Amino acid sequence: MARLLDKRLIFVTGKGGVGKSTVAAALGALAARHGLRTMVAELSSQQRVQGVFDRYGEQFEEVQLAPRLFTISIDPEHAMDEYLRVKVGALGHALASSRLFQAFAMATPGMRELLSIGKVWELAQLHRRTRGASPYDLVIVDAPATGHGLGLLRTPRTFADIARVGPIAHQGRTISDTLADREFTGVVAVATAEEMPVNETLSLIEAVERDELALDLVVLNGLYPMRFNSGEVGQLLEALERSRSQLSRSALRAALAEHARAANQREQQARLDAGVNGRLVELPYVFSEHLGPRQVEDLADALELALRKRR
Amino acid sequence: MSVAELLQGKRICVCAGSGGVGKTTTSAAIALGMAAQGHRVAVVTIDPAQRLANALGVEELPNEPHRVEPGRLAAAGLEVEGELWAMMLDPKRTFDELIDRIAPDPERAAEIKANRVYRELSSAVSGSQEFTAVAKLYDLDQAHEFDLLVLDTPPSRNALDFLEAPQRLSSFLEGSALRALVRPAGRGIRVLGRSATPLLAAMRRVTGVDLLTDLATFFGLLGDMTKDFNLRAQQVEDLLRADTTAFVLVTSAEREPIEEAIWLHRTLEQGGLPFAGVIVNRVHHDLLAGSEAEDVRPALRRLLGSDLAARVAENFRDYHVLARRDDVNVSRLAAALGDEPLLVVPQLDEDVHDLEGLLRMRRYLFASASERRRLIADLVA
């Protein structure tokens, strides 16, 4: 665990709907607990982490959620504006207010991704470019879904290659070196124990290794408990045969359905486990009407326990 | 309201929604159900699960619709009056085919396909999936071979990307922004040099001259083809806005996908796009009918002993936490939708990954209001 939290920048990715934001928030809560000034950065402009903590700020504002825990929602438009004004100076101001340039930059393939990841990089610097901004010990990125997420990590290198020389090439190279530095940057993949998320995670692992990035951890999120053994399942089936009460029958069927789901999940879990070389930790399904700070703290507990056990 | 009614008189059904809510299976179940009713239907999927892809047989012939054997469907227990076709989209290939088609000659097409800006453009990022999905949809629509096309949208960062990305990409290709900054020089395009505006000078300082040159070369290669892109973007947009198109939003009953569906519905309405209804998957229905989950324990204790009965009751309690959560979320969605159609599919016992699963889902999607009430009542019985 120490090794994961020793990094400065962690990308949390996975298929849509597997709980990336929740895992990013739980990881953030865990890091904050360990005394790290932690930023959970969202790139989807959906402000989900803010939603979990029910504390809303402006777009692009660094919002404090709890002691040492912060969040920001990054969008490419704000990122470009900041980049131009801070980095380029007077000329940048001219560009930032040019609609023509805005249109050009936003339409250039990969530019939105480059600008977003540029801001992430800036957040992870000990000497922040943003005037008056304090540094973070750890930046956790709630990255886009798998395909887009990996594309995002490749963008700086692609730009460096395309632009070859000049400020964009230089910036792209600096960022891409940072991402390739395994001491500095890590990747956490999130999956649920279903076929597609497991498939995507397995191909993500290949792709991450091909790109020579460090995949530190795979989090299997939303694992149902195995409440019944196979002998007990027989008893449940038998009871379903005999019972005439509607309520009992509903409860028995719910138990059998959940058991089937949990058993399927174990198959997928085994498939994932076989492909990730001991980097797997599990988080339980949260049976809760809301997902708020308390549930995130519970998940941080579970994460801490799982990471300790793993070592 | 059933899906058949939602899609009455429609030629295109676009299934949109956030990731992980069952869009692909829902699209396939819709196509299957419409085919069963006698239509000739093609479902365009982006990235189906392996077993579903096998079930539909889409891997045998990538990027072209492929008929699902009626025998296969019959074996799963469904006699289909119409025809079910399925295809898996290959974005890169679709893009290349588009270039081949509109390039003035094969040499130009080859040059474009080898261009670095193009290669980046047609890769999986930057909205090319979205762009090629609607491009393919348009081609299939023009071919008039199907009564209905069902499009499973790409797993975007957010569901609106699907609508915005094609526009972004085509406006880039159209190049109007850049066109103002560069001018033709022979076959290529020369970036304005000494006579450049301060704006261009600033741009060069920020982007570096190579990037601008590369872009200029790319647009030089595209030449008049940008007009075709522009025309096509307009045609695609017209197609998506046509009253024979239906946007069906797909969501699960969890909070965030529901919020996204509410927002997406509003966005579609504001954008004047033809919204047809929402399908909510994996809903946990209330099975208690006014009782408490704990009430089940005494009766079960006699059948199962106290330890096992306690665990069944605990499971039942957890199930109803989710039922309450889903009820709150679906109610919020219903309130936001007003009178618009809202179809609910219960949490099925197993994940849908084969034809049997699609058939189970289809029962809920194509049931009339009274059949649906009966199906839901069956869950409790």
Side-chain angles (χ1 to χ4, degrees):
Chain A
M1 175 172 69
R3 274 190 42 208
L4 183 64
L5 295 186
D6 281 346
K7 306 224 174 193
R8 300 286 313 285
L9 181 56
I10 298 173
F11 286 85
V12 180
T13 187
K15 187 180 183 300
V18 298
K20 281 185 297 290
S21 305
T22 311
V23 170
L27 204 52
L30 181 60
R33 228 185 248 180
H34 283 258
L36 302 176
R37 192 167 188 271
T38 306
M39 166 58 81
V40 180
E42 286 185 81
L43 298 183
S44 51
S45 311
Q46 288 174 321
Q47 305 182 333
R48 287 188 168 175
V49 177
Q50 300 188 19
V52 168
F53 285 82
D54 210 14
R55 296 196 61 161
Y56 297 92
E58 296 289 312
Q59 185 74 266
F60 218 67
E61 184 189 343
E62 296 172 35
V63 180
Q64 181 154 17
L65 300 170
R68 292 185 299 281
L69 185 60
F70 298 79
T71 188
I72 184 172
S73 179
I74 297 173
D75 62 292
E77 286 80 9
H78 276 94
M80 180 165 83
D81 199 65
E82 184 185 274
Y83 176 80
L84 291 175
R85 287 176 202 281
V86 174
K87 174 91 181 176
V88 189
L91 266 177
H93 279 270
L95 284 181
S97 48
S98 156
R99 278 181 45 214
L100 187 65
F101 181 74
Q102 295 263 356
F104 159 75
M106 286 304 144
T108 302
M111 188 65 97
R112 299 168 67 84
E113 288 79 8
L114 181 68
L115 287 162
S116 299
I117 207 165
K119 177 61 186 177
V120 166
W121 177 87
E122 192 273 331
L123 286 166
Q125 299 306 302
L126 286 176
H127 297 285
R128 299 276 310 273
R129 210 161 54 190
T130 309
R131 194 171 305 155
S134 312
Y136 293 98
D137 300 311
L138 175 63
V139 176
I140 297 167
V141 185
D142 179 7
T146 321
H148 286 85
L150 211 58
L152 180 82
L153 293 175
R154 285 193 190 125
T155 300
R157 164 77 18 108
T158 309
F159 261 87
D161 290 348
I162 286 189
R164 288 185 293 266
V165 292
I168 286 206
H170 180 254
Q171 181 81 359
R173 213 159 281 133
T174 309
I175 297 174
S176 112
D177 289 348
T178 303
L179 299 184
D181 178 356
R182 286 157 176 259
E183 299 275 297
F184 196 97
T185 307
V187 177
V188 171
V190 185
T192 51
E194 293 161 280
E195 186 188 353
M196 284 304 281
V198 169
N199 289 354
E200 282 204 18
T201 308
L202 292 174
S203 52
L204 175 80
I205 292 168
E206 280 173 33
V208 161
E209 279 162 8
R210 208 165 38 238
D211 286 6
E212 293 176 354
L213 300 166
L215 181 77
D216 295 279
L217 190 68
V218 178
V219 177
L220 189 62
N221 191 28
L223 198 61
Y224 276 65
M226 280 297 264
R227 296 185 215 249
F228 313 106
N229 63 36
S230 55
E232 289 165 341
V233 170
Q235 282 180 269
L236 298 180
L237 283 165
E238 204 178 300
L240 185 61
E241 285 281 304
R242 285 164 51 196
S243 175
R244 292 285 154 264
S245 141
Q246 183 169 305
L247 193 64
S248 299
R249 292 176 60 82
S250 288
L252 289 165
R253 282 169 52 170
L256 288 164
E258 198 205 70
H259 176 77
R261 193 164 294 278
N264 278 335
Q265 284 195 338
R266 293 316 181 279
E267 281 175 33
Q268 297 296 339
Q269 179 186 16
R271 203 159 69 85
L272 185 58
D273 199 20
V276 302
N277 281 334
R279 283 170 291 186
L280 190 68
V281 299
E282 285 102 19
L283 288 180
Y285 192 95
V286 178
F287 292 97
S288 161
E289 284 176 59
H290 309 282
L291 200 65
R294 223 198 77 208
Q295 284 74 27
V296 168
E297 290 294 342
D298 287 350
L299 286 173
D301 289 343
L303 207 50
E304 176 147 34
L305 207 65
L307 288 169
R308 277 230 189 93
K309 242 191 344 205
R310 207 169 62 99
R311 288 180 74 201
Chain B
M1 191 60 107
S2 82
V3 165
E5 290 168 81
L6 291 187
L7 297 182
Q8 184 97 48
K10 302 289 185 184
R11 298 176 36 77
I12 286 178
C13 169
V14 180
C15 295
S18 44
V21 297
K23 272 198 303 267
T24 304
T25 45
T26 306
S27 309
I30 289 174
L32 181 67
M34 293 301 281
Q37 301 203 337
H39 302 282
R40 199 175 141 93
V41 187
V43 56
V44 179
T45 71
I46 310 291
D47 189 14
Q50 191 67 41
R51 283 180 292 181
L52 187 65
N54 290 344
L56 295 173
V58 285
E59 280 168 311
E60 296 152 43
L61 199 60
N63 223 29
E64 289 301 329
H66 171 96
R67 181 156 183 198
V68 182
E69 299 280 341
R72 237 188 243 228
L73 299 172
L78 185 71
E79 294 298 335
V80 174
E81 271 183 54
E83 292 177 15
L84 176 63
W85 294 63
M87 75 160 264
M88 193 157 78
L89 183 82
D90 179 340
K92 175 85 175 112
R93 195 150 154 174
T94 306
F95 222 134
D96 287 353
E97 284 169 5
L98 186 60
I99 295 295
D100 287 338
R101 193 147 9 114
I102 63 177
D105 50 68
E107 290 73 34
R108 183 84 72 90
E111 266 187 277
I112 291 171
K113 285 190 277 183
N115 180 277
R116 284 189 309 163
V117 175
Y118 173 78
R119 287 213 309 269
E120 171 65 10
L121 188 73
S122 59
S123 69
V125 282
S126 359
S128 79
Q129 275 190 336
E130 289 84 351
F131 178 76
T132 49
V134 290
K136 193 75 195 177
L137 190 69
Y138 179 76
D139 287 344
L140 289 170
D141 180 66
Q142 287 297 298
H144 291 288
E145 281 172 20
F146 298 99
D147 302 325
L148 178 70
L149 299 167
V150 182
L151 177 70
D152 164 30
T153 57
S156 296
R157 185 172 327 173
N158 69 56
L160 190 73
D161 253 14
F162 164 70
L163 296 171
E164 280 182 349
Q167 287 168 10
R168 232 173 12 233
L169 197 60
S170 55
S171 72
F172 173 74
L173 289 172
E174 190 202 334
S176 56
L178 204 70
R179 206 166 285 262
L181 299 173
V182 294
R183 67 181 161 85
R187 247 202 68 192
I189 281 188
R190 192 164 56 84
V191 179
L192 283 178
R194 282 173 288 278
S195 62
T197 58
L199 177 64
L200 185 63
M203 239 168 103
R204 286 174 62 164
R205 222 184 101 184
V206 174
T207 60
V209 77
D210 278 9
L211 182 59
L212 274 185
T213 312
D214 271 2
L215 286 166
T217 309
F218 177 60
F219 284 111
L221 283 170
L222 282 185
D224 277 352
M225 289 163 66
T226 56
K227 280 207 216 89
D228 292 288
F229 276 114
N230 195 17
L231 181 65
R232 175 166 284 259
Q234 188 57 52
Q235 286 164 333
V236 164
E237 178 151 2
D238 291 347
L239 179 69
L240 290 179
R241 288 179 185 283
D243 56 11
T244 48
T245 294
F247 280 85
V248 172
L249 301 184
V250 184
T251 178
S252 70
E254 287 169 65
R255 195 187 109 183
E256 282 161 355
I258 290 273
E259 291 300 331
E260 180 117 338
I262 291 173
W263 174 79
L264 197 55
H265 164 246
R266 207 165 46 224
T267 309
L268 289 174
E269 299 270 89
Q270 282 166 359
L273 289 150
F275 165 77
V278 182
I279 294 170
V280 190
N281 283 328
R282 299 186 212 133
V283 175
H284 298 79
H285 282 278
D286 181 2
L287 307 176
L288 286 170
S291 313
E292 294 288 328
E294 273 303 305
D295 297 350
V296 79
R297 255 171 96 163
L300 285 179
R301 204 176 294 146
R302 283 192 300 277
L303 290 165
L304 301 172
S306 66
D307 171 54
L308 187 51
R311 275 179 285 144
V312 172
E314 182 191 54
N315 177 72
F316 208 35
R317 213 167 37 237
D318 280 347
Y319 174 93
H320 280 93
V321 170
L322 303 187
R324 280 197 300 280
R325 175 198 72 184
D326 292 359
D327 183 51
V328 167
N329 291 335
V330 174
S331 302
R332 198 171 53 250
L333 174 64
L337 288 176
D339 293 333
E340 302 281 13
L342 171 63
L343 278 76
V344 168
V345 179
Q347 167 88 321
L348 302 171
D349 286 357
E350 282 176 52
D351 288 334
V352 179
H353 50 66
D354 53 15
L355 288 175
E356 285 76 11
L358 291 180
L359 287 173
R360 274 199 302 278
M361 210 166 162
R362 168 187 159 267
R363 281 174 63 200
Y364 291 94
L365 295 177
F366 284 81
S368 67
S370 60
E371 283 171 328
R372 179 184 307 277
R373 272 195 297 277
R374 216 191 51 235
L375 281 170
I376 306 279
D378 279 354
L379 288 176
V380 188

